[in-house]
């Protein structure tokens, strides 16, 4: 639909021109641009700029700004946003998987260029003031389309056909950036390295499709996990959510709890409450992995030890104080921490396995906690070093091996 221009001649005032975009979200009165978010404000610090420069991703946001400037309507802006977001995801995946030029001296397995380049794009979009005007609802819609397309959430493509296993895997953005802004998240790096790849199993080929999620409480409350996974899990033979966990070990988390423990997210927002889900009246306090944890723990998957983690923290039935239970929850208890804690690692595992159960699916699925990705000894300032790269590559390889073992053990 073409734009409609209405010229109003007002006596004693300047000419006013209103442009209505061809969109169901169009509004006559454009809203002022919101300020940058806490995440976006970190972007101008030295480390993010070095990461972008040394990966060749420093031109992503300026090119996106040019694309927005060329949009003459909301519809054109939406197309530009989805196209540019998808291109960013594809470029990050290609870089991680060795396709095309590296464009910088950072190792290809690095997930941080995607994170910081996306924030550059969201900041440009948040501050953009087009001539045709944007309502708050329109801007929010564009930001949502950018987030989903640049995270692989709307491009998962599980193949059809017999004799193929279909696997869904998810990772996370870097987090705790105010503690160390150099941080990388090996789960996000693994998602980039494995997206669209095939693995050989004893039972034949398996295809892996991945997506990355933000470390923000509100996005989870808004249903980003369910919206992404609901179309995929009925087609999948296996799923695993993955996040960074403890130092020097991998954990297969047996039980997930319906509790948010209050740790600050990437917006420095804290939430202490029951995990908010649709139909809370039927919400369980606990969900359980259906990954073949015994086979995974027993398998020679890599250099990091792998544990079947059964510990939870609960308020026992009839009690008032939290109690740590090494062997899992007791009947009627209230969750205070799953095996994976009470942060967003636990929550994505809880949401994914609850979705599995509510859809009536019998597929294996659960959560894998990777080791903390550590820099080399004595490195407190450099954005990378050989030990850092080795650790990340080893984690990626071991998660891939764990997925292979899970796929072979799930018949």
């Amino acid at each position: 639909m073409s734009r409609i221009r209405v010229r109003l001649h007002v006596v004693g005032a300047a000419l006013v021109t209103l442009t209505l975009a061809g969109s169901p979200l169009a509004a006559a009165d454009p809203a002022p641009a919101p300020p940058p978010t806490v995440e976006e404000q970190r972007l101008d610090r030295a480390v993010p700029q070095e990461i972008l420069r040394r990966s060749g991703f420093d031109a992503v946001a300026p090119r996106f700004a040019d694309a927005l400037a060329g949009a003459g309507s909301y519809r054109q802006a939406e197309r530009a946003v989805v196209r540019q977001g998808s291109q960013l995801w594809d470029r990050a995946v290609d870089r991680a998987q060795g396709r095309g030029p590296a464009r910088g001296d950072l190792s290809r397995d690095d997930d941080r260029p995607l994170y910081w380049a996306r924030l550059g794009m969201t900041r440009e979009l948040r501050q953009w003031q087009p001539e045709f005007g944007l309502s708050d609802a329109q801007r929010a819609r564009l930001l949502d389309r950018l987030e989903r397309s640049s995270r692989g959430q709307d491009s998962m493509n599980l193949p059809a056909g017999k004799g193929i296993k279909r696997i869904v895997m998810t990772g996370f953005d870097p987090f705790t950036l105010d503690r160390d802004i150099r941080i990388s998240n090996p789960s996000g790096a693994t998602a980039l390295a494995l997206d669209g790849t095939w693995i050989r199993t004893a039972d034949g080929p398996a295809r892996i499709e991945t997506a990355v999620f933000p470390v923000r409480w509100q996005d989870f409350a808004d249903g980003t996990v369910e919206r992404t996974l609901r179309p995929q899990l009925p087609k999948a033979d296996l799923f695993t959510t993955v996040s960074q966990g403890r130092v020097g070990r991998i954990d297969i988390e047996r039980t997930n709890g319906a509790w948010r423990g209050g740790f600050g997210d990437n917006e420095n927002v804290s939430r202490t409450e029951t995990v908010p889900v649709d139909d809370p009246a039927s919400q369980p306090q606990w969900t359980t992995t259906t990954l073949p944890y015994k086979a995974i723990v027993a398998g020679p998957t890599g250099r990091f030890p792998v544990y079947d983690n059964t510990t939870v923290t609960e308020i026992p039935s009839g009690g008032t104080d939290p109690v740590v239970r090494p062997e899992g929850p007791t009947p009627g208890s209230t969750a205070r921490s799953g095996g994976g804690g009470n942060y967003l690692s636990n929550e994505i595992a809880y949401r994914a396995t609850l979705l599995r159960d509510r859809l009536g699916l019998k597929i294996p699925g659960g959560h894998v906690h990777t080791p903390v990705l550590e820099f080399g000894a004595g490195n407190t300032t450099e954005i990378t070093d050989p030990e850092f790269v080795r650790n990340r590559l080893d984690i990626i390889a071991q998660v891939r091996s764990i997925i292979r073992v899970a796929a072979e053990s799930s018949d």
Side-chain angles (χ1 to χ4, degrees):
M1 184 182 297
S2 62
R3 293 177 294 162
I4 302 171
R5 290 192 179 272
V6 182
R7 291 189 175 271
L8 303 178
H9 295 271
V10 182
V11 176
L15 178 67
V16 178
T17 301
L18 301 179
T19 302
L20 303 181
S23 163
L25 296 177
D29 296 321
T37 66
V38 170
E39 275 190 290
E40 292 163 356
Q41 289 172 27
R42 297 187 185 102
L43 188 60
D44 292 326
R45 295 170 62 179
V47 164
Q49 292 302 307
E50 182 181 354
I51 289 169
L52 291 171
R53 183 175 63 255
R54 292 177 61 181
S55 62
F57 278 57
D58 52 339
V60 169
R63 281 200 301 267
F64 181 58
D66 290 342
L68 290 177
S73 69
Y74 175 84
R75 293 296 191 195
Q76 291 178 11
E78 187 172 34
R79 287 193 293 269
V81 162
V82 173
R83 181 173 61 252
Q84 296 271 328
S86 298
Q87 288 174 355
L88 175 61
W89 173 256
D90 291 343
R91 178 177 171 183
V93 169
D94 285 347
R95 190 177 194 276
Q97 296 181 17
R99 292 186 290 271
R103 297 181 184 174
D105 66 346
L106 281 186
S107 61
R108 284 183 174 267
D109 53 283
D110 204 316
D111 60 303
R112 297 172 296 177
L114 171 64
Y115 175 72
W116 292 111
R118 183 193 303 113
L119 286 176
M121 294 174 73
T122 60
R123 186 169 67 175
E124 291 289 350
L125 180 53
R126 203 177 306 277
Q127 297 178 332
W128 182 47
Q129 289 283 40
E131 289 185 1
F132 57 83
L134 276 180
S135 68
D136 287 338
Q138 286 176 316
R139 194 182 303 275
R141 168 70 173 170
L142 292 177
L143 285 164
D144 178 69
R145 296 302 303 274
L146 177 57
E147 286 280 346
R148 291 181 58 74
S149 60
S150 65
R151 294 180 177 280
Q153 294 176 2
D154 61 1
S155 59
M156 303 178 89
N157 185 27
L158 293 171
K162 297 181 179 180
I164 299 171
K165 287 201 171 184
R166 288 158 280 269
I167 299 170
V168 170
M169 177 252 163
T170 68
F172 272 106
D173 287 347
F175 66 109
T176 62
L177 294 155
D178 291 333
R179 182 182 303 168
D180 187 348
I181 199 167
R182 303 174 300 157
I183 200 166
S184 162
N185 194 322
S187 69
T190 303
L192 292 176
L194 299 187
D195 186 50
T197 63
W198 294 83
I199 58 173
R200 290 186 177 275
T201 75
D203 305 313
R207 169 69 170 259
I208 305 173
E209 289 289 323
T210 74
V212 171
F213 285 90
V215 183
R216 297 189 297 253
W217 294 111
Q218 189 59 50
D219 292 67
F220 277 56
D222 291 339
T224 185
V225 173
E226 291 81 0
R227 185 164 48 147
T228 301
L229 297 184
R230 185 175 286 109
Q232 306 303 327
L233 294 193
K235 298 182 288 186
D237 299 293
L238 170 76
F239 72 90
T240 179
T241 55
V242 182
S243 66
Q244 180 176 251
R246 302 167 179 92
V247 174
R249 60 183 282 174
I250 290 174
D251 289 288
I252 311 302
E253 305 297 356
R254 185 85 72 88
T255 307
N256 318 297
W259 185 251
R260 294 175 152 190
F263 191 79
D265 65 9
N266 276 352
E267 289 291 320
N268 293 336
V269 172
S270 176
R271 291 285 185 269
T272 305
E273 59 190 354
T274 299
V275 171
V277 298
D278 291 340
D279 193 14
S282 66
Q283 177 179 10
Q285 285 295 304
W286 308 99
T287 64
T288 304
T289 189
T290 47
L291 290 174
Y293 51 86
K294 291 181 180 179
I296 295 171
V297 169
T301 56
R303 71 178 172 100
F304 295 102
V306 183
Y307 296 92
D308 167 25
N309 184 28
T310 59
T311 299
V312 302
T313 301
E314 66 175 19
I315 297 178
S317 178
T320 58
D321 297 324
V323 177
V324 175
R325 299 290 192 191
E327 301 302 323
T330 57
S333 65
T334 301
R336 282 298 177 266
S337 180
N342 50 27
Y343 194 39
L344 288 163
S345 294
N346 168 79
E347 184 160 333
I348 197 170
Y350 178 84
R351 289 179 178 277
T353 50
L354 178 61
L355 180 62
R356 173 203 63 197
D357 296 344
R358 286 182 165 180
L359 291 174
L361 303 175
K362 302 303 180 183
I363 62 173
H367 193 74
V368 176
H369 251 136
T370 77
V372 172
L373 180 57
E374 297 181 297
F375 288 96
N379 178 7
T380 59
T381 58
E382 299 300 316
I383 66 170
T384 190
D385 61 55
E387 185 68 13
F388 182 67
V389 173
R390 173 178 176 261
N391 288 337
R392 186 166 51 210
L393 288 171
D394 284 353
I395 292 170
I396 291 170
Q398 192 160 358
V399 172
R400 184 178 184 276
S401 183
I402 285 170
I403 290 174
R404 178 185 54 77
V405 170
E408 291 178 340
S409 306
S410 299
D411 292 327

